[in-house]
């Protein structure tokens, strides 16, 4: 945390901060030592900020899906939107998005650890200018060639749906330029350990979509979602301004392609962008295969993936929060603390996501039904989406772990290893799709994604253990087994009680009761973990108290002033 944000006394703002995992005190005026300490508590604090923002975004995202699903259900027009939404998203992931963030972070870390803050801003400006020029050119091409791209992406769609999709694509393509700028801004802020603004991007996006759909969908129908996506992306960019001002950001028009930073970023960028292309191929293949399945299959997979994202946000948050620290550790060649930071991050991820994995597999219909089951989203739509959600949940921990593991390799300036695993994963994914779709339809695609994520995470774990001394995979697997046993007992008990009471899944009241049983199971899991003195449970409590205590003090001061 920045002491200025917490309103601490002047002596504290430039003095010490105490981490929550009882490691030695790290001083802000000695950045090298602070990074060598690599306190997981500090990373967890940053991850908590990100997770809170992501949670707000997910809640607003669920509200967005509620509004959109009630208005459009699982319709052909919504299939058209979800299909073309991939185009700017794929391009953004390739030239900006997490790709450029992963590529520039090690370079940014080197400038910051060496104290070259002025050059850091100059390099950030140059890379941003280059990305914006590239994004602008691709945006124009996307608008001009919208129809051919739609025909290639959705060969199973009717001609009328393809024409609609091409029109929607022309509306949302300009989001590419805004997203490119946004991601460079977030990379810069994350490198400076600023996470509040970037954490609010999902909330900003969903606010734009919800407001636009509510106001304009009666007049312009499905086009309101595309327009809302454009407006929401602009909101995402605007919420970064306060953090940039606090850091004294200054942007220049410089563009020196001969600068050493461009070579460093380019070397890191190539394998990362190739891995991103591999991931996008999987998405495209899934959409193409789903387009040949019954109507609503694409939307069911999209909704299930969105719901799952509500739960694997921990992996996303940890990956975002730990990446700057890992990059600075790698810049000083501190592999011991690199291994320790990655291990503790993965343990925390496993501890939280293990019960959620079993709960989503045991109670998929209540989850989907309570969140989305209204309006045109009928029992059939709930059933289709629940099938996909249960299959996606199989790989919940693996998907979250991939965010952390891939960034560990990127921090070590190694993009080739994740790329190799990614190429293997796409072959396995296509093969699994072919095997599973005839038996499970669209749910087979979801299960294929889960199994592929598990395979990728296992291989990355093994290879990272060979690369970084002190990274103990066997102890991590042992911890996973203990969490799985505890979660299985608590979730199976909740599911068994629900079945014994013959609680249905069609009525809202029954679904709420089922979710109540699921919530009790999660609470029992955490309480037992505390009783067993599991360090992850204790750290979560300390982290929560770290955020609650300042809020309580501010409330008391406000009451006293009144």
């Amino acid at each position: 945390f920045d002491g200025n944000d917490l309103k601490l006394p002047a002596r504290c703002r430039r003095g010490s901060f105490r981490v929550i995992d009882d490691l030695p005190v790290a001083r802000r005026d000695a950045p090298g030592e602070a990074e060598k300490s690599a306190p997981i508590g500090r990373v967890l604090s940053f991850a908590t900020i990100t997770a809170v923002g992501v949670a707000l975004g997910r809640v607003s995202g669920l509200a967005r899906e509620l509004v959109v699903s009630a208005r459009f259900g699982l319709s052909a027009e919504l299939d058209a939107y979800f299909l073309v939404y991939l185009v700017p998203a794929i391009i953004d992931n390739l030239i900006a998005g997490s790709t450029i963030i992963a590529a520039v972070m090690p370079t940014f870390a080197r400038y910051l650890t060496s104290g070259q803050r002025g050059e850091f801003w100059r390099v950030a400006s140059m890379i941003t200018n280059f990305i914006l020029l590239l994004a602008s050119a691709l945006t124009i091409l996307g608008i001009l060639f919208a129809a051919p791209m739609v025909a290639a992406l959705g060969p199973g769609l009717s001609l009328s749906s393809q024409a609609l999709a091409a029109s929607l694509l022309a509306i949302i393509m300009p989001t590419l330029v805004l997203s490119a700028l946004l991601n460079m801004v977030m990379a810069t802020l994350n490198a400076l350990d600023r996470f509040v603004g970037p954490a609010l991007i999902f909330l900003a996006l969903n606010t734009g979509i919800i407001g636009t759909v509510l106001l304009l969908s009666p007049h312009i129908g499905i086009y309101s979602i595309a327009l809302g996506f454009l407006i929401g992306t602009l909101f995402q960019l605007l919420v970064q301004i306060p953090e940039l001002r606090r850091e004294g950001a200054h942007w220049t028009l410089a563009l020196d392609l001969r600068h050493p930073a461009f070579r460093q970023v380019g070397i890191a960028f190539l394998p990362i962008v190739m891995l991103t292309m591999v991931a996008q191929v999987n998405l495209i293949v899934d959409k193409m295969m789903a387009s040949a399945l019954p109507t609503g299959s694409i939307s069911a997979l999209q909704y299930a993936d969105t719901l799952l994202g509500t739960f694997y946000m921990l992996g996303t948050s940890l990956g975002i929060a730990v990446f700057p620290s890992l990059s600075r550790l790698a810049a000083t060649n501190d592999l011991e603390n690199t291994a320790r930071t990655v291990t503790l991050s993965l343990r925390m991820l496993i501890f939280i996501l293990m019960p959620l994995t079993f709960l989503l597999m045991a109670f998929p219909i209540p989850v989907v039904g309570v969140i989305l089951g209204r309006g045109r989203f009928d029992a059939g739509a709930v059933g289709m989406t629940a099938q996909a959600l249960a299959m996606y949940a199989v790989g919940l921990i693996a998907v979250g772990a991939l965010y952390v593991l891939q960034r560990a390799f990127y921090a070590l300036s190694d993009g080739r290893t994740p790329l190799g695993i990614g190429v293997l994963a796409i072959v396995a994914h296509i093969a699994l799709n072919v095997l599973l779709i005839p038996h499970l339809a669209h749910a087979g695609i979801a299960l294929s994604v889960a199994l592929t994520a598990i395979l990728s995470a296992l291989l990355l774990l093994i290879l990272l253990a060979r690369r970084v001394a002190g990274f103990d995979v066997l102890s991590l697997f042992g911890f996973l087994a203990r969490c799985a046993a505890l979660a299985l007992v608590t979730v199976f008990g909740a599911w068994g009680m629900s079945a014994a009471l013959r609680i249905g899944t069609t009525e809202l009241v029954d679904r709420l009761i089922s979710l109540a049983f699921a919530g009790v199971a999660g609470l029992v899991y955490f309480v037992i973990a505390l009783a067993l003195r599991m360090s992850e449970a204790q750290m979560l409590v300390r982290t929560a108290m770290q955020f609650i205590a300042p809020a309580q003090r501010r409330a008391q001061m406000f009451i006293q002033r009144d």
Side-chain angles (χ1 to χ4, degrees):
F1 286 97
D2 190 327
N4 293 299
D5 291 340
L6 294 182
K7 309 299 182 185
L8 297 177
R11 62 183 177 84
C12 294
R13 286 199 293 267
R14 295 188 179 278
S16 303
F17 63 87
R18 187 171 300 277
V19 300
I20 64 174
D21 56 348
D22 301 325
L23 290 176
V25 172
R27 296 190 57 85
R28 293 193 66 181
D29 54 0
E33 292 302 318
E35 291 308 325
K36 286 184 179 180
S37 297
I40 189 62
R42 182 171 178 238
V43 170
L44 187 58
S45 296
F46 292 145
T48 303
I49 295 173
T50 304
V52 169
V54 174
L56 291 174
R58 291 301 180 184
V59 171
S60 63
L62 294 177
R64 177 200 68 206
E65 299 301 347
L66 188 153
V67 170
V68 172
S69 62
R71 177 65 182 84
F72 300 103
L74 293 186
S75 59
E77 55 186 354
L78 193 60
D79 279 354
Y81 168 75
F82 281 139
L83 183 70
V84 298
Y85 162 80
L86 282 177
V87 177
I90 289 173
I91 298 175
D92 178 61
N93 285 334
L94 291 177
I95 67 168
S98 58
T99 304
I100 195 63
I101 293 175
V104 302
M105 192 64 70
T107 298
F108 285 176
R110 283 190 283 270
Y111 284 106
L112 291 173
T113 53
S114 62
Q116 302 181 62
R117 193 178 178 90
E119 189 65 11
F120 161 77
W121 285 115
R122 181 169 178 267
V123 168
S125 297
M126 289 192 297
I127 297 175
T128 300
N129 295 337
F130 178 78
I131 293 296
L132 285 177
L133 289 174
L134 183 58
S136 299
L138 291 174
T139 297
I140 295 172
L141 291 175
I143 294 174
L144 293 176
F145 295 98
M149 284 192 292
V150 168
L153 283 173
L157 296 179
S158 64
L159 293 179
S160 60
S161 293
Q162 289 187 15
L164 173 62
S167 300
L168 293 171
L169 181 57
I171 296 174
I172 64 177
M173 275 306 298
T175 61
L176 180 60
V177 177
L178 295 175
S179 294
L181 178 57
L182 170 68
N183 285 296
M184 279 305 304
V185 169
M186 290 196 301
T188 303
L189 290 174
N190 287 167
L192 295 165
D193 284 340
R194 287 283 187 179
F195 294 91
V196 175
L200 296 176
I201 59 171
F202 301 109
L203 178 61
L205 175 64
N206 294 326
T207 299
I209 295 176
I210 291 171
T212 307
V213 170
L214 288 176
L215 292 174
L216 299 181
S217 62
H219 308 288
I220 60 176
I222 194 68
Y223 292 101
S224 61
I225 306 181
L227 183 59
F229 183 52
L230 180 61
I231 295 172
T233 307
L234 178 61
F235 286 172
Q236 288 181 308
L237 188 58
L238 293 177
V239 297
Q240 311 305 316
I241 294 177
E243 296 264 67
L244 288 172
R245 293 182 63 182
R246 290 191 186 99
E247 288 294 336
H250 54 276
W251 173 66
T252 65
L253 290 172
L255 185 62
D256 182 7
L257 297 179
R258 295 174 296 180
H259 193 282
F262 271 98
R263 181 175 180 275
Q264 295 169 2
V265 173
I267 292 174
F269 182 80
L270 288 177
I272 297 173
V273 75
M274 292 176 67
L275 175 60
T276 304
M277 291 174 65
V278 168
Q280 303 311 311
V281 168
N282 278 337
L283 289 176
I284 293 172
V285 169
D286 287 349
K287 292 295 187 293
M288 291 178 65
M289 289 185 171
S291 69
L293 297 174
T295 300
S297 295
I298 295 177
S299 299
L301 288 169
Q302 182 70 36
Y303 280 127
D305 184 58
T306 299
L307 292 175
L308 191 75
T310 305
F311 302 100
Y312 67 64
M313 66 180 181
L314 175 67
T316 308
S317 301
L318 278 172
I320 293 171
V322 79
F323 193 25
S325 294
L326 287 177
S327 297
R328 290 191 288 268
L329 287 170
T332 58
N333 199 34
D334 188 353
L335 298 183
E336 179 181 353
N337 273 314
T338 298
R340 177 178 178 274
T341 303
V342 173
T343 299
L344 294 179
S345 298
L346 291 175
R347 283 173 63 96
M348 182 61 69
L349 184 148
I350 291 169
F351 175 75
I352 296 177
L353 293 187
M354 184 62 73
L356 292 173
T357 296
F358 287 110
L359 287 171
L360 288 174
M361 294 171 63
F363 299 96
I365 292 180
V367 171
V368 176
V370 169
I371 296 173
L372 301 176
R374 55 190 49 81
R376 291 176 59 185
F377 208 92
D378 56 18
V382 169
M384 287 182 66
T385 306
Q387 291 170 8
L389 178 62
M391 295 298 100
Y392 274 137
V394 173
L396 177 60
I397 293 175
V399 172
L402 284 175
Y403 280 95
V404 177
L405 292 170
Q406 288 175 348
R407 279 151 185 77
F409 279 99
Y410 297 155
L412 295 168
S413 298
D414 180 5
R416 294 181 179 179
T417 299
L419 173 60
I421 299 301
V423 172
L424 177 63
I426 190 173
V427 176
H429 180 54
I430 294 174
L432 286 170
N433 275 357
V434 173
L435 291 174
L436 296 173
I437 287 176
H439 306 285
L440 299 174
H442 68 289
I445 296 176
L447 181 57
S448 174
V449 170
L451 295 177
T452 302
I454 293 172
L455 174 64
S456 300
L458 287 174
L459 291 176
L460 286 177
L461 274 172
I462 295 170
L463 293 175
L464 186 63
R466 292 183 178 181
R467 175 75 180 271
V468 179
F471 189 71
D472 190 352
V473 176
L474 292 180
S475 66
L476 196 63
F477 285 157
F479 178 75
L480 185 147
R482 292 194 298 274
C483 290
L486 179 57
L488 185 60
V489 170
T490 55
V491 173
F492 181 77
W495 180 83
M497 291 181 64
S498 177
L501 295 174
R502 296 184 179 181
I503 298 173
T505 58
T506 56
E507 300 297 329
L508 178 60
V509 174
D510 291 336
R511 292 168 177 173
L512 289 172
I513 294 174
S514 295
L515 289 187
F517 276 108
V520 170
L523 180 62
V524 172
Y525 170 89
F526 185 74
V527 170
I528 294 176
L530 279 176
L532 295 175
R533 298 183 180 277
M534 295 181 70
S535 59
E536 288 71 23
Q538 295 173 337
M539 186 176 292
L540 286 175
V541 172
R542 291 197 296 268
T543 303
M545 294 305 299
Q546 183 187 32
F547 283 89
I548 293 172
Q552 289 177 334
R553 288 195 296 269
R554 286 195 294 268
Q556 291 173 355
M557 292 174 60
F558 178 78
I559 293 173
Q560 290 172 357
R561 285 199 303 267
D562 288 348

